[in-house]
Amino acid sequence: MDLVRGTLDVLILKSLVWGPLHGYAITDLIRRQTDEALLVEEGTLYPALWRLETKGLLESEWGISDNNRKAKYYRLTTEGKRRLREETRYWEAYAAAVAKMLGATRPPLAEEK
Amino acid sequence: MMKRIPAWRRYARIFGADPRADVDDELEFHIETRVEELVAQGWDPASARRQAESQFGDLAAIRQAGEELHGRRRRTLERRDWWSGYLHDVRYTLRCMRRATTFTIAVVLTLGLGTGAIATVFTLANTLFFRRLPVDRPEQVAMVQATKERGRMPGWVSYPEYVHFRDHTRSFAGLAAHYSNAPLFTTIRNQSREVTGAVVSANFFPLLGLQPALGRFFRDDEDAVPDRDRVAVLGYDAWSKWFGRSPEVLGAPLRINGATFTIVGVAPEAFRGITIQPDDVYLPTMMSRAAFTWCADSLAVDCRPFYMIGRLANGRTAAEAEAEMSTLLPTWWTGQDGGNSAIRVLPARGVFHPDLSRSEERRFVELLAAVAATLLLVCCANLAGLLMSRNMARKREFAIRSSLGAGNARLMRQLATESMVLALGGGLAGLLLSRGLTAALNALFYSADRSGRPIYYNFAPEPRVLFAVAAVSMLAGLLAGVIPAWRTLERSGAASLKQPRIGRWLAGAQAAAAVALAAIAGVLAVSAQALLTASHFDAAHVALLRIRPRAAHYTPERAQQFVRAAIQRLEALPAVESATMVGTGAVLVGNNAQAALPEWIGTRSIHCTYLRIGPRYFETLRTPVLRGREFDQRDNLQSPAVALVSESLARTLWPGGAAIGALVEVNGRPHQVVGIAADVTLQNRTEAQRPYVYTPYWQNAAQVETQLAVRVKGDPAAMLPEIVREVGRGDPDVPIGNTVTLAADMAAGISSERITGAFLSFAAGLSVVLAGIGLYGVLAYSMSHRTREIGIRMAVGATAAGVRRMVVREGMAVVLTGVAAGVGLSLGGAREVRHLLYGSGAGDAAIYAAAAVLVAAVGLLACWIPARRAAAIEPMSALREQ
C-alpha cells in the first residue's frame, strides 16, 4: 500500500517515540509495526528526516549501530513531541470521519429548514 | 540499541562540519546494512549491492537534496553564532563603559551635540517636505494647482472652473475646493476679532475621510444655493478657546463679516486645515461671498479665490492625474494674458505651499544641513582624537586579548562595536537635544507669522526621522572610530609616533571649521542687523496695522472718509509723531508695477516696486526726499496725477537729471514726477537695487485695504493697543488686523536668514569650544608621552620658559595653519550664503579677522595649560620614572 501524501512525517515522528533510531531502523520499524501494510520508499525517507531536522522537530547525532557501524541517530525534540500529539489527534479525527462516511448505509436525514 | 560514539570522535568535525561527507556516510550506512541483510539471506554480495541500490531510489538526487538542506542549516547556525558574538562584544563594551564613565559621557555628549543639530534639520525637512496630512489614507491625497506663466507662478481657480474639473475628472475619486486663510471678522458672544477661516466645498471633509469631533459637517444641499445656508463648522482649537468645548456650541450663532451663521459641527482635533495657518472657522463655498470681498461676486467665473484638493482614484498616480487634468483645461484659459495656463497635481506632502518649486525653502534647508554636517564632522574629528588617546591607553588590554588568541579582525570588530554602541548613545542624546532645539525653533519662528497670527507646524518626530538620525549617528561613530582602531592595531613601533601627527591634523581641521563657522555666523548676524538699519529708512518707532473697511461693505467713498478720520485722530495723539498709509501691499515692500517713458509708446518698460502712499510717508519712514516734494493733502482725485520716483529709477529714466516735472507712465497711466526719494536698499547681495515708483494714496478711488504706518515717540509695541483703540473708534465693525511693529515685521520677513544665523552661531560656538578641547587633548596626550624627553632637555639645560615656548610653538603651528585654512573656507562659504546677506559687506573683513583671532586665542589657551604642566616637570623624577 502506498502512503497517503503527508503521512510520512507523522509516521517518522511516531517511530521515534520509543527512543533514538537511525534511518534504516525507522523503515524497518514502520514496516513491521504496520504488519508490512505500509512500505516506506527508502529514497523518500532521508529527505523527510532532514526536513524534519531543519524544522527543529528532530535532532541527530552520530552513534554506533548494532552491526557496529557509524550511523546517524535521530531523536524527537520537545517541539517534535508536541507536533506528534497534534498530528495524532488530527489523524484520528480524520480517519473517524472518513470511516463514518464510507461505513454509511443510508443517506442522512433531511435537515430542518 | 545506540552505542555512544567515543568522545574524541564526536569532535572529529569540529573544524567546520562537512555536509557532503555527512550525507554520504548516512546513506552509505543504510545501503550497507541492507546489503548485509540480503547476504545473510543468501544473496551474493555483488547482486545484493545492486538490489539494495535500486531499492533505494535515485541516490544522486537524494544526495544533492541532503547537501543543500544541511548546508543551509549550517549557515543559519553560523549566523546565529556570529550574532551571539556581537552580543558578547556589546556586553563587554557596556562593561568597559561603566568603568570609564567620564570618557563615555564626553563621547556621548560630543556626538550628541553633533547629531542633535542634524536631527533638528531632519525634523525641519520632514515637516516642510515629507509629513503627510493627518487625514484618512493621506498617500492618496493630492493638491491640484493651477499655474501661470509657463508653470512658474501659482494660480487660483474660480468656482465654475472648479466645478468643471470636478465633473470631468476620472483620475480623482473626489475633488474639493478650498479657500484657506480667509481673514474673517467675527463676533462671538459680543467679542469681535479677526480670525482665519476656510471656505470649503461640502465634499471637503468626507473626501479627507475626517469625522467631526462634535455635530456634523456640511450636507451637500447646504452647498447648493448661493447665500442661502448660513452654516459654519468650527475648528477644534476655536471650539476650545471660545466655547470651552461645551456641546452647546451646536446651534450657537456666529457673526462673520456682518452676517449671522449657525454652528453645526466641530472639526477633529488633529486636523487644523490644509495650510500652516490653523483654520478656526469653515464655511461652505456657497457662502463665499460673505468671506471673499476682493471680487464683486466670488462665485463668478472670473473671480478666482479657490485651490483644489483631490483624492486620487484607486491605483492612479499624481502624474497620471496631472496628464488627465491637463486635457480638461477650460477653453477660456488659452490665450488669456498672465492668467492660468496649466494644471499641476502634487502629492500632499509637507506643509502646503503655493510656491511650486519651493526652491528658496529647499536651499534654506540644504544650507542648514551643510552647517549641521560641518558641525558633525568637527565632532567626529574631536572624537577620533579622544578615541585614539583612549585606545593607546588600552594597549595593554589589547595585548592581553591578542595573546589569548583574539585575531586582528576580532579586535577590530570589538572596536567597531564600541564605536557603534557609543554612536547609538550619542544619537539618543542628539535626539533629546534636537527636541529642545526644535522646540526653540518652533517658539521663535514657527508659531506666529509676520503679523503675529498663530501658525502651526507639526514637529513631532516620525519614524523616518528617527531612522535617519540613527543612520547618521552610526556613520559618525564609524567615521570617528575607524582611524583610531586601525592605528591601534598597527603593531609597528611607528604607530605610536604617527599617532600624535594624525591627532594634530584633526585638531587643525577642527580649528579651520571653527573659524569658518564663526566667521560666517558673524557675517550673517551683522547683515541681518544691516537690513534693519539699512540706509534710507528707520524701522524703529514705527507701528503698523491693516484696516479693511471694504470687508465691512463700505463704499469706496466711505472707506476713504474712514481712513482720513483715522489718520487725523492718530496724529492728534500726543505720543504720535506722524501717521501715513499704504494701499494694497506693505510698507517698504509694496507691489509690482511697470514704469515707462511716454515716448517709449509701450515698446519697453521697467519693472518697479510700486507703492500708493499717503502724505508724510517719507517723513514717517525717515526716507530722505532728495529733490522736489512729498505728497500732501492736495494730491487727490481732483488734482493732476503725480508720482515720486526713487533715485535709481530717476537715473535710469532721465540720465540727464531732468526728472522733476517730467512725465512717467505707471502701469500705462501718465503721472507727473514731483520728487525723487532716496533708494531703499532691501535687496540681498545677489540682487540688484530695485527701482521704486510712488503715487498718492488719495488718487486711487478703489482702495481695497489699507496699511497704516504710525511713527511714535516711545516703544511702538506698547503703543499698538492705543492705536488700535483709536482707529476702532471710527466703527467697531471695520476689521483691524496685522498689528505689528515695523521692526518685528521686517525681522519676520527674514526669518530664514535669522534661523540660519542662529543655527550657525550655535554651531560656531560649539565648534570653537570643541576645537579648543581637541587641541588640548592632543597636546596633553603627547606631553604625557614625552615626560622623559622633556626631563632630559631640562637636565641638559633647557629652561622652564624654553620648554613652555617649545610646547606653545608646536601647538600654535597647528592652530595657525588651521586658522589660515579656515579663513579660506569662510571666504568660500560666505559666497554660498550671499543670497542671505544684506548691506554692502564693507565690514566683513573685520569679522573674518575677529573669528580668526578668537579661534587663535582659544588655541593659545589650549596650548598654555599643557605647556605650563610640561615646564613644571622635575627633571630628576621624570628620568627616574622609567
Side-chain angles (χ1 to χ4, degrees), chain B residues 21 39 99 144 149 170 194-195 199 334 354 364 381 398 445 454 522 579 656-657 696 705 762 781 797 839 848:
Chain B
V39 169
R99 264 184 273 135
V144 182
E149 315 206 351
R170 291 169 170 281
E194 191 182 294
V195 306
V199 178
T334 48
F364 159 64
F398 292 129
F445 300 105
E705 56 170 45
F762 169 77
Y781 175 77
Y848 292 132

Side-chain angles (χ1 to χ4, degrees), chain A residues 21-22 24 42-43 46-47 50 53-54 61-74, chain B residues 1-5 9 22 25-27 29-30 32-34 36-37 55-56 62 66 69-70 73:
Chain A
L21 292 177
H22 49 71
Y24 190 85
E42 292 167 8
Y46 284 93
W50 297 329
E53 190 182 6
T54 305
E61 195 182 4
W62 288 98
I64 305 293
S65 73
D66 294 343
N67 56 1
N68 226 357
R69 287 175 195 277
K70 202 178 76 158
K72 200 178 221 178
Y73 281 84
Y74 292 88
Chain B
M1 196 160 36
M2 176 183 126
K3 291 181 217 156
R4 288 223 154 234
I5 218 161
R9 279 183 70 177
D22 258 20
D25 283 0
E26 189 174 10
L27 298 182
F29 163 74
H30 185 107
E32 277 178 16
T33 310
R34 165 74 61 200
E36 266 175 32
E37 215 177 270
Q55 202 179 337
F56 193 85
I62 292 168
L69 265 170
H70 280 73
R73 194 165 61 231

